Amino acid sequence: GIQVEQSPPDLILQEGANSTLRCNFSDSVNNLQWFHQNPWGQLINLFYIPSGTKQNGRLSATTVATERYSLLYISSSQTTDSGVYFCAVDRTGAYNLFFGTGTRLTVIP
Amino acid sequence: NAGVTQTPKFRILKIGQSMTLQCAQDMNHNYMYWYRQDPGMGLKLIYYSVGAGITDKGEVPNGYNVSRSTTEDFPLRLELAAPSQTSVYFCASSYSSLPRAPYEQYFGPGTRLTVT
């Protein structure tokens, strides 16, 4: 299957700080999604972004498919941003998502 | 729209017991998926379905069975539960109009299963 690597594995931020999370993938992809898994285990769709740039409030994401990476930007972080952020891709010709191991974000007041 | 719903939320099984995890979606999606998430890991695909009556194996299908008799429902059956099946199970759905690959997947709230 396709390899999905996320960095950093862990991140601790002071409230109000900005951060960038990275996702590298090893093959051509059809789709790329970013998820936030909150402390209750729920998976929340953040972005569906196979290419280009999107913004949603304090969050934005950029995917450069030709160079096989995606970035998730979090600005003015809040304690409610804490949790694990997953990048997931589906390989050309397949239909399931391959997940990275995530970035665990902790935002402290 | 309720989106993707799963029941039960929690379950404890004894080794060797069987159970069915229920999943339903009301978004008229043709694709449905079952994933499992082990502690500290990302999700891995167990089975998926591209439409009623059509299912196929994912990365980790051993010990599970699925069926899809309707567009809305996609139950996952565990036969002879083993401790290795202790995990959180997520159901997901997406829409595809072939030949295009499916659009984004939407996930249910998960079922936390413990086998002792």
Side-chain angles (χ1 to χ4, degrees):
Chain A
I2 191 168
Q3 303 302 312
V4 183
E5 295 180 355
Q6 292 187 243
S7 59
D10 294 281
L11 186 58
I12 300 174
L13 294 177
Q14 200 79 37
E15 199 169 23
N18 304 329
S19 62
T20 301
L21 282 58
R22 187 176 180 101
C23 172
N24 293 334
F25 43 95
S26 62
D27 206 344
S28 300
V29 298
N30 288 315
N31 298 326
L32 187 145
Q33 291 185 239
W34 282 97
F35 297 91
H36 174 213
Q37 188 165 40
N38 63 23
W40 295 271
Q42 187 180 7
L43 276 170
I44 300 164
N45 287 35
L46 296 177
F47 292 102
Y48 166 70
I49 185 166
S51 63
T53 297
K54 290 186 177 180
Q55 178 150 10
N56 184 2
R58 296 181 295 105
L59 274 59
S60 64
T62 295
T63 296
V64 184
T66 52
E67 297 186 23
R68 298 180 183 170
Y69 73 88
S70 183
L71 302 173
L72 176 69
Y73 306 96
I74 304 174
S75 64
S76 303
S77 58
Q78 301 175 357
T79 55
T80 51
D81 294 332
S82 296
V84 182
Y85 289 80
F86 287 105
C87 166
V89 302
D90 70 352
R91 180 172 49 86
T92 300
Y95 302 120
N96 57 292
L97 288 175
F98 291 89
F99 281 73
T101 51
T103 292
R104 181 174 297 278
L105 174 65
T106 303
V107 180
I108 54 178
Chain B
N1 277 0
V4 180
T5 58
Q6 293 182 236
T7 55
K9 288 187 170 55
F10 305 94
R11 183 73 186 267
I12 299 174
L13 281 182
K14 293 189 185 306
I15 294 171
Q17 287 185 322
S18 301
M19 76 165 294
T20 299
L21 281 66
Q22 301 292 345
C23 174
Q25 54 91 12
D26 62 358
M27 297 177 282
N28 204 28
H29 286 170
N30 47 355
Y31 282 67
M32 295 187 75
Y33 314 80
W34 274 105
Y35 293 86
R36 61 176 285 175
Q37 183 180 28
D38 296 330
M41 305 293 288
L43 282 67
K44 292 190 175 180
L45 184 72
I46 305 171
Y47 272 95
Y48 69 98
S49 168
V50 302
I54 306 171
T55 63
D56 206 348
K57 296 177 181 179
E59 298 175 77
V60 290
N62 291 345
Y64 307 95
N65 278 301
V66 293
S67 60
R68 186 138 178 236
S69 56
T70 68
T71 301
E72 294 78 19
D73 301 298
F74 190 40
L76 177 72
R77 178 83 177 161
L78 277 72
E79 304 282 2
L80 297 174
S84 61
Q85 293 178 304
T86 294
S87 190
V88 181
Y89 292 83
F90 288 95
C91 179
S93 71
S94 65
Y95 174 73
S96 171
S97 56
L98 292 174
R100 198 207 179 280
Y103 293 94
E104 65 183 306
Q105 293 188 23
Y106 293 87
F107 283 77
T111 294
R112 187 175 297 273
L113 176 68
T114 302
V115 182
T116 62

